[in-house]
Amino acid sequence: MGESVRASIGEGVDAIYLFVTDPLEAEEEVKEALAEGIRVMTFHLPAYEVTASVLVPNFYQGVELATQLARRLEKRARVAILGGPEILDDEELVLGCLDGARRAGLEVLNDPFASQYRNLEDVKGVSGAVVERLMGDLYPFDGLIVFNDETLHDVVAYLKEKSLAGSFPIVSRNGSPAAIECIRQGLSTATLDYHLPEIGALGAGLLDGGGALVMAPAGQVYDSSNLEMAISWEVRAPFDISLNVIS
C-alpha cells in the first residue's frame, strides 16, 4: 500500500483514499502525502494521522451476528465460527462474534483466529479445505457463524455435497445478492448487510470536509421474514463518478 501512496503523490493527486487493512501500514508514505498538501481519507481507522476516516462498526456487527444465531438456538448451544484473513476489519468482526456469543450464552467450539479455521484468502472457491476441516473436527454442532459471504459460498457447496444443507442455522455478514439468494433457497439463515454502497458514499462525502471521523451505518439483518425489503447493491449505488480516479 505504501508504494501506491508514493506513486499517487508523484501523480499530483488532490486526495488519496486508503482501505486500511493494517493500522500501521504506509505510515511514512501518508506523512509524505500530507506534507505535500494531499488529503488522505481512509476506510477504517489507522494508528497514524490522516485527514479523515469512515469508521465501520465491525465489532458490533459481529455481536449482532452472534445474537441473531443465539435467538434461533437453545441456551448453551454449541456453535462454530469460521473466521477470515488477518486484516483489521475482519478481525474486529470476529472479535465481536466471540463477544456476542459469550454474552448470549453460546458455547464456541473453536478459535476462529487459528489458521485452520479461517479463510485467510478471503475469496470464494479457496476455503473448501478450511470448511472441510472445521466440519470434520467440530460437527455436529448447533449453528455456524461465517464471517463473510465469499466464504459462505464454500460452506454451502460443502453442505450440499454432504446432504447437510439446511440442517442447522448459519449467519454471515455482507448482505450480497448471492447471500440473499441463499436465504431464499433455505441454504442460509440470515445475513447482515453492512451497507457497503453507503460506506462508499460516506467516503466520497469526506472530500467536502464534513468531519474527521464519520460512522458508517450499523447495517441491516435480512432473513426469511424480510427478504422483500432487500435492495441490491447495484440499485443502491449506480456507477456515476465525476471524479478523476487514477487507480
Side-chain angles (χ1 to χ4, degrees), residues 51-238:
T51 306
S53 295
V54 176
L55 306 183
V56 180
N58 301 296
F59 180 88
Y60 292 101
Q61 290 171 356
V63 172
E64 177 64 10
L65 285 178
T67 301
Q68 287 291 328
L69 186 62
R71 289 172 181 168
R72 294 164 168 83
L73 298 171
E74 301 292 332
K75 294 293 184 184
R76 302 306 305 170
R78 302 166 73 253
V79 303
I81 301 175
L82 208 163
E86 297 173 339
I87 63 175
L88 179 62
D89 64 318
D90 292 327
E91 295 207 331
E92 287 179 354
L93 174 69
V94 173
L95 283 169
C97 292
L98 284 167
D99 188 68
R102 177 188 58 80
R103 296 185 198 190
L106 299 175
E107 179 186 353
V108 179
L109 300 178
N110 68 304
D111 175 5
F113 293 112
S115 60
Q116 66 265 36
Y117 299 129
R118 59 195 300 181
N119 179 6
L120 290 167
E121 301 300 323
D122 193 20
V123 292
K124 172 185 175 182
V126 301
S127 63
V130 174
V131 175
E132 184 172 4
R133 186 181 305 116
L134 181 141
M135 293 294 295
D137 291 352
L138 305 174
Y139 191 75
F141 44 70
D142 301 306
L144 176 64
I145 302 174
V146 181
F147 90 102
N148 78 349
D149 292 351
E150 289 292 294
T151 309
L152 177 67
H153 293 300
D154 292 342
V155 170
V156 167
Y158 177 90
L159 295 180
K160 282 183 174 180
E161 179 185 342
K162 302 298 182 180
S163 299
L164 291 171
S167 58
F168 53 83
I170 302 172
V171 297
S172 66
R173 190 182 75 168
N174 284 18
S176 67
I180 296 295
E181 185 58 30
C182 282
I183 295 171
R184 187 171 283 115
Q185 295 181 21
L187 302 171
S188 179
T189 307
T191 184
L192 193 152
D193 179 349
Y194 77 127
H195 288 176
L196 185 60
E198 289 77 7
I199 291 172
L202 285 173
L206 294 177
L207 282 172
D208 299 327
L213 297 175
V214 178
M215 180 61 74
Q220 171 67 52
V221 174
Y222 292 107
D223 60 19
S224 59
S225 70
N226 65 348
L227 284 183
E228 71 283 352
M229 295 172 54
I231 301 173
S232 72
W233 293 349
E234 292 83 357
V235 174
R236 285 153 53 192

